[in-house]
């Protein structure tokens, strides 16, 4: 298979972790006889410093042309004082999501058996396991509503719009994912307060009856979901939710696994085109020290192979190599060890070579 991957490593630890993911993809290409071309482009603060724009046209065009996009992270204190519209998060990340039509964000979270000690939850709570998938709507809701201050700067408003088609298409993604997993969907909302949540409930209920009546469907308020996640994380299979609730709950889920440095994500369009990135940010506090955990980036590369290119065996090999490396004792600083970013990449690649 011949594919072009746009690599936008971004800021902070982005470049360090992304280069390990690229090395893993190169190894996969070698092993399985594929040709991957990496088109590296600037994004985020790095692009702002070079071109005065966190998302230069050349980067956006390269992403549109590519077969998939691999993203590191964007943002950092250096660019925090930019106008909100120009900041890396809004100008680069949110524009990429919207321009590329990436409405479906998949964030799988599971506890690796050998890393159970890294989880802050008591063993008896973790005994119920944790293996869930957050299906987060990514191009609607409050992230893409109006964000405005009044003329005198003494009041502000953010709006949270959603339409039936937007809810239907993400619900279908969650249903399809649940069919391949344990068949349970929890739709998280705040229907006791928000109109958009009531629309979500009506729409998801109807679609479930029409298209996926065999799946178990439960509705849960977001505050209760936040609580249940630390009380009984094993009860969740697929969590279907809107943009901001998904942002918050996926960070919470990541901590239960022991480290946010382990969680990958896939942001997909209906045709499978996608952008793949770790859910952690640019971690400016540890950037440039070569100690960041590259596993979330490497696992994002695995999602790229699986969802972006339909290469299930290749993705499986990467997941297996990560698992074997962890079992053999690989630990970066976030999981209580001393392995460097490069050593962690090496450990995964050496397992991959021996599979
Ligand atoms: C994420 C991040 C982003 C989000 C930020 C950086 C805008 O937290 O991908 O979870 O809120 O979507
Ligand atoms: Mg987040």
């Amino acid at each position: 298979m011949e594919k072009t991957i746009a690599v936008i490593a971004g800021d902070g630890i982005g470049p360090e972790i992304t280069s390990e993911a690229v090395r893993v993809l190169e190894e996969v290409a070698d092993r399985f006889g594929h040709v991957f071309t990496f088109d590296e482009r600037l994004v985020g603060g790095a692009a702002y410093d070079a071109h005065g724009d966190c998302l230069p046209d050349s980067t956006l065009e390269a992403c549109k042309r590519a077969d998939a996009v691999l993203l590191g992270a964007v943002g950092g204190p250096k660019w925090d004082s930019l106008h909100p519209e120009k900041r890396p998060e809004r100008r680069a990340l949110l524009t990429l999501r919207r321009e590329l039509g990436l409405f479906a964000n998949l964030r799988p979270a599971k506890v690796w058996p050998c890393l159970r000690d890294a989880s802050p939850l008591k063993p008896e709570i973790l005994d119920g396991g944790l293996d869930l998938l957050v299906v987060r709507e990514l191009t609607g809701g409050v992230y893409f509503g109006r964000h405005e201050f009044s003329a005198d700067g003494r009041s502000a408003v953010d709006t949270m719009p959603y339409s039936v088609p937007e809810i239907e298409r993400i619900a279908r993604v969650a249903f399809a994912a649940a069919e391949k997993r344990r068949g349970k969907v929890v739709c998280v909302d705040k229907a006791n307060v928000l109109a958009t949540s009531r629309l979500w409930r009506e729409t998801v209920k109807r679609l479930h009856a029409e298209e996926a009546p065999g799946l178990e469907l439960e509705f849960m308020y977001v505050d209760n979901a936040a609580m249940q996640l630390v009380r009984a994380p094993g009860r969740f299979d697929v969590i279907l939710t809107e943009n901001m609730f998904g942002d918050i709950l996926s960070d919470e889920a990541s901590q239960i696994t022991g480290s946010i440095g382990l969680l990958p994500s896939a942001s997909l369009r209906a045709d499978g085109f996608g952008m793949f990135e770790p859910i952690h940010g640019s971690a400016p506090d540890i950037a440039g020290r070569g100690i960041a955990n590259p596993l979330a980036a490497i696992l994002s590369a695995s999602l790229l192979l699986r969802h972006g290119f339909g290469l299930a065996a290749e993705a499986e090999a990467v997941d297996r190599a990560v698992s074997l490396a962890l079992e053999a004792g690989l630990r970066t600083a976030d999981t209580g060890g001393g392995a460097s970013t490069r050593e962690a990449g090496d450990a995964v690649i050496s397992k991959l070579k021996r599979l």
Side-chain angles (χ1 to χ4, degrees):
M1 187 177 269
E2 283 188 29
K3 295 283 187 192
T4 301
I5 301 169
V7 178
I8 46 177
D11 307 318
I13 60 170
E16 301 159 48
I17 54 157
T18 306
S19 59
E20 298 311 313
V22 168
R23 287 173 65 220
V24 167
L25 286 169
E26 280 169 340
E27 178 61 29
V28 167
D30 239 35
R31 273 288 302 270
F32 290 84
H34 302 302
V35 180
F36 295 153
T37 306
F38 299 96
D39 186 4
E40 294 189 18
R41 303 283 170 159
L42 290 178
V43 75
Y48 186 84
D49 290 347
H51 303 292
D53 184 354
C54 287
L55 185 63
D57 284 348
S58 53
T59 298
L60 181 58
E61 289 310 314
C63 292
K64 285 185 174 165
R65 262 197 320 271
D67 297 304
V69 181
L70 187 66
L71 168 65
V74 297
K78 186 173 174 198
W79 307 283
D80 278 353
S81 54
L82 290 179
H83 184 276
E85 301 278 336
K86 296 195 163 165
R87 280 177 58 149
E89 294 84 350
R90 284 268 289 277
R91 171 66 190 144
L93 199 54
L94 300 197
T95 309
L96 276 166
R97 289 173 181 172
R98 193 190 56 229
E99 288 288 315
L100 299 175
L102 309 173
F103 69 91
N105 187 212
L106 309 184
R107 299 191 159 187
K110 67 173 183 176
V111 171
W112 300 81
C114 62
L115 280 181
R116 284 172 68 106
D117 288 353
S119 173
L121 292 190
K122 289 184 187 145
E124 58 267 33
I125 291 180
L126 271 192
D127 278 348
L130 170 82
D131 181 359
L132 61 81
L133 175 70
V134 177
V135 176
R136 169 188 179 196
E137 200 291 325
L138 202 60
T139 52
V142 71
Y143 277 60
F144 293 92
R146 282 199 296 128
H147 309 287
E148 278 167 22
F149 273 79
S150 63
D152 66 2
R154 306 218 359 116
S155 64
V157 65
D158 296 284
T159 60
M160 186 180 193
Y162 266 113
S163 67
V164 169
E166 283 178 297
I167 301 167
E168 284 178 343
R169 64 181 183 176
I170 191 71
R172 287 197 176 99
V173 171
F175 291 163
E179 302 273 5
K180 293 197 202 133
R181 296 172 49 99
R182 303 193 299 281
K184 283 167 57 171
V185 177
V186 176
C187 180
V188 172
D189 61 31
K190 191 70 186 172
N192 46 352
V193 178
L194 301 178
T196 45
S197 287
R198 293 208 304 278
L199 186 68
W200 269 73
R201 267 196 195 205
E202 276 169 33
T203 308
V204 171
K205 226 181 248 173
R206 176 182 45 76
L207 207 70
H208 172 253
E210 287 169 5
E211 299 184 10
L215 296 175
E216 202 180 299
L217 174 66
E218 185 186 345
F219 291 92
M220 196 181 280
Y221 297 141
V222 62
D223 47 351
N224 186 25
M227 187 170 76
Q228 297 303 332
L229 264 175
V230 288
R231 219 185 124 252
R235 65 175 291 183
F236 293 98
D237 179 16
V238 173
I239 293 179
L240 162 63
T241 192
E242 65 87 43
N243 206 340
M244 187 161 68
F245 298 159
D247 178 45
I248 297 168
L249 294 179
S250 57
D251 267 30
E252 188 186 358
S254 79
Q255 273 314 294
I256 300 173
T257 71
S259 169
I260 196 167
L262 295 166
L263 256 72
S265 83
S267 305
L268 304 170
R269 199 160 71 188
D271 63 3
F273 174 85
M275 181 162 85
F276 302 84
E277 62 179 298
I279 80 156
H280 60 68
S282 56
D285 51 325
I286 57 163
R289 291 168 53 196
I291 59 165
N293 187 346
L295 293 182
I298 291 171
L299 292 167
S300 298
S302 157
L303 292 179
L304 182 155
L305 293 166
R306 188 184 302 277
H307 294 280
F309 298 165
L311 297 174
E314 287 81 342
E316 202 52 53
V318 174
D319 294 350
R320 180 101 192 100
V322 168
S323 177
L324 289 171
L326 286 171
E327 275 162 30
L330 168 64
R331 298 287 184 276
T332 37
D334 57 321
T335 42
S340 68
T341 309
R342 177 45 72 116
E343 284 162 352
D346 285 343
V348 174
I349 290 168
S350 87
K351 293 294 177 195
L352 203 50
K353 281 188 195 295
R354 268 181 260 136
L355 277 182

